[in-house]
């Protein structure tokens, strides 16, 4: 709500891009997801708005259609958010979230963790859209990356060949696609200690004629960032953001390297610097780990498995720290550039 406080109802309802939902949809969807899992499934209550939930189903309603849906708006939307949260807190009083809870949704508070994570992940999606809102300035939130990458960029970390444990441990909150934890054999490899900077990306663009990242525009002899209607010079020391997986891959080849696999990324994670500035594209397709079991619903991960999506690891400046588990697997279409994604390269040792 703090993020959206500077906006009026017209801005909340406006469709800024066919690949991003209007903010009012995200808000209603966050509340509806909470209502569905906690208030209805766990609390056994009837839905507050009957069949309305269908319009907030992310699978049934692709992003390009969401502006047209008869969703809740304005004052009605705000009171729905408040009503759901009130009921959620009521249900919380009634349930046992202990380690012995019989319902796997309740055991160790899974369903609450899932809803918190869901809301936090939607904050990032909303920030993707907020980059398109001219003059948007949030209160009390810093936007954009902060890392200074000068100097360290050419360093690589060597990881020895051997077995590495990949995935989330059996206990503690994680999504189904992060489990089960399993061992993989990796050949020796090297991986960049830091993400790729804007300065190095500019060098790559100049040498190859590659397109600039999303939101970059020519500004005299240099480049300017145009997010939120701004025109700030590109900081060469910041990590590059808003490149597609294809562009990340082309960059890596130009640098004499390649993108890491997600297993390599996870194995090297404790040795890497500046994780959490930009999501990092990997060369891995989003596929299930051996022994995968869908939980608590197929539509979270399973329906996305296959070769259409590439895995991203780490997190961006817009990602809440609790979402940035080492085992967390983000996924998106390889041509996408609106996400806060950058590059870290690897190579065979
Ligand atoms: Fe969602």
């Amino acid at each position: 709500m703090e993020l959206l406080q500077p906006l009026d109802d017209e801005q909340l309802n406006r469709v800024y891009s066919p690949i991003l939902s209007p903010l009012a949809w995200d808000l209603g969807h966050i509340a509806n997801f909470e209502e569905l899992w906690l208030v209805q499934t766990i609390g056994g209550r009837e839905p507050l708005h009957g069949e309305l939930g269908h319009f907030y189903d992310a699978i049934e309603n692709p992003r390009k259609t969401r502006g047209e849906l008869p969703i809740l708006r304005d004052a009605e939307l705000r009171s729905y958010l408040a009503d759901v949260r009130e009921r959620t807190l009521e249900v919380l009083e009634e349930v046992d979230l202990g380690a012995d809870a019989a319902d796997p949704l309740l055991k160790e508070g899974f369903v609450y963790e899932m809803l918190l994570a869901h809301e936090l992940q939607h904050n990032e999606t909303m920030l993707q859209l907020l980059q398109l809102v001219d003059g948007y300035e949030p209160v009390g939130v810093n936007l954009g990356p902060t890392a200074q990458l000068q100097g360290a960029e050419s360093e690589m970390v060597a990881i020895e060949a051997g077995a590495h444990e990949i995935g989330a441990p059996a206990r503690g909150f994680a999504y189904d696609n992060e489990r089960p934890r399993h061992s993989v054999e990796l050949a020796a490899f090297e991986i960049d200690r830091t993400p790729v900077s804007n300065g190095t990306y500019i060098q790559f663009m100049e040498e190859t004629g590659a397109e600039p990242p999303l939101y970059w525009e020519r500004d005299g002899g240099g480049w300017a960032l145009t997010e939120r209607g701004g025109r700030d010079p590109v900081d060469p020391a910041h990590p590059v953001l808003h490149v597609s997986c294809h562009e990340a891959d082309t960059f890596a080849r130009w640098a004499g390297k390649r993108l890491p696999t997600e297993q390599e990324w996870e194995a090297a994670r404790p040795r890497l610097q500046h994780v959490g500035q930009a999501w990092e594209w990997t060369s891995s397709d989003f596929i299930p780990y051996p022994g995968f079991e869908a939980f608590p619903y197929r539509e979270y991960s399973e329906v996305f498995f296959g070769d259409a999506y590439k895995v991203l690891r780490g997190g961006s400046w817009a990602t809440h720290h609790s979402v940035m588990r080492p085992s967390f697997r983000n996924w998106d279409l390889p041509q996408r550039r609106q996400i806060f994604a950058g590059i870290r390269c690897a190579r065979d040792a």
Side-chain angles (χ1 to χ4, degrees):
M1 297 317 288
E2 205 170 78
L3 279 179
L4 300 182
Q5 195 228 317
L7 303 183
D8 59 28
D9 284 333
E10 188 278 321
Q11 289 170 308
L12 293 180
N13 290 317
R14 198 193 297 180
V15 177
Y16 285 86
S17 158
I19 59 169
L20 288 164
S21 322
L23 293 160
W25 187 90
D26 280 278
L27 281 178
H29 165 82
I30 290 168
N32 186 256
F33 193 75
E34 184 170 315
E35 185 187 24
L36 179 68
W37 285 98
L38 266 171
V39 181
Q40 297 174 234
T41 306
I42 301 291
R45 318 284 208 273
E46 288 298 311
L48 282 161
H49 284 277
E51 299 293 289
L52 181 86
H54 293 305
F55 302 121
Y56 291 114
D57 185 309
I59 304 280
E60 276 179 45
N61 303 285
R63 288 178 174 185
K64 62 175 185 290
T65 70
R66 290 176 189 170
E68 309 296 316
L69 298 170
I71 55 172
L72 296 172
R73 296 175 194 276
D74 314 340
E76 219 184 353
L77 171 60
R78 279 185 285 277
S79 63
Y80 177 60
L81 299 180
D83 291 346
V84 170
R85 186 53 55 87
E86 194 184 310
R87 288 175 158 217
T88 290
L89 295 175
E90 259 171 46
V91 174
L92 178 60
E93 294 295 315
E94 300 164 9
V95 295
D96 169 17
L97 300 172
D100 303 327
D103 185 340
L105 281 176
L106 290 176
K107 193 175 172 185
E108 294 179 328
F110 177 87
V111 73
Y112 278 85
E113 296 252 26
M114 178 177 84
L115 292 167
L116 284 168
H118 180 254
E119 181 166 333
L120 292 169
Q121 288 172 252
H122 272 276
N123 284 351
E124 178 159 349
T125 317
M126 291 193 286
L127 278 163
Q128 290 168 15
L129 183 124
L130 288 166
Q131 303 308 306
L132 302 173
V133 178
D134 279 0
Y136 171 72
E137 258 187 71
V139 182
V141 182
N142 293 323
L143 302 182
T146 52
Q148 295 289 320
L149 303 177
Q150 271 145 339
E153 235 190 311
S154 54
E155 287 175 35
M156 296 188 86
V157 178
I159 307 290
E160 283 175 25
H164 294 268
E165 292 294 304
I166 299 297
R171 293 201 58 182
F173 177 78
Y175 287 115
D176 54 4
N177 63 58
E178 299 167 56
R179 293 194 165 116
R181 192 167 167 86
H182 60 287
S183 186
V184 294
E185 283 293 330
L186 297 178
F189 68 99
E190 295 177 324
I191 187 165
D192 291 348
R193 192 180 291 281
T194 70
V196 171
S197 70
N198 286 329
T200 307
Y201 202 79
I202 289 170
Q203 224 182 313
F204 157 69
M205 284 158 50
E206 283 169 357
E207 277 186 33
T208 64
E211 288 285 302
L214 185 64
Y215 301 125
W216 285 30
E217 270 179 26
R218 271 269 173 223
D219 193 42
W223 293 95
L225 298 176
T226 62
E227 286 104 327
R228 307 181 297 281
R231 210 162 176 91
D232 298 322
V234 167
D235 186 333
H238 280 170
V240 69
L241 280 170
H242 297 297
V243 294
S244 70
C245 188
H246 301 311
E247 290 165 323
D249 182 66
T250 309
F251 173 91
R253 287 162 200 269
W254 169 80
K257 301 176 186 173
R258 57 174 172 78
L259 295 181
T261 66
E262 62 167 325
Q263 289 81 10
E264 287 173 334
W265 190 95
E266 193 170 325
R269 168 69 185 81
R271 311 268 306 273
L272 301 179
Q273 288 176 1
H274 302 300
V275 172
Q277 294 278 314
W279 285 102
E280 299 173 26
W281 286 110
T282 73
S283 59
S284 299
D285 294 335
F286 185 52
I287 53 172
Y289 289 162
F292 166 84
E293 281 179 49
F295 178 76
Y297 60 114
R298 283 191 66 241
E299 286 73 18
Y300 184 76
S301 313
E302 199 175 357
V303 296
F304 298 99
F305 286 147
D307 58 10
Y309 295 91
K310 289 291 182 189
V311 173
L312 300 107
R313 290 302 200 104
S316 79
W317 63 266
T319 315
H320 192 269
H321 62 86
S322 71
V323 174
M324 292 192 212
R325 298 181 284 288
S327 59
F328 186 89
R329 306 170 79 194
N330 192 0
W331 68 91
D332 219 313
L333 297 169
Q335 68 272 25
R336 283 291 191 244
R337 311 206 303 168
Q338 89 282 9
I339 52 176
F340 303 109
I343 313 167
R344 188 189 302 263
C345 303
R347 67 177 170 216
D348 299 347

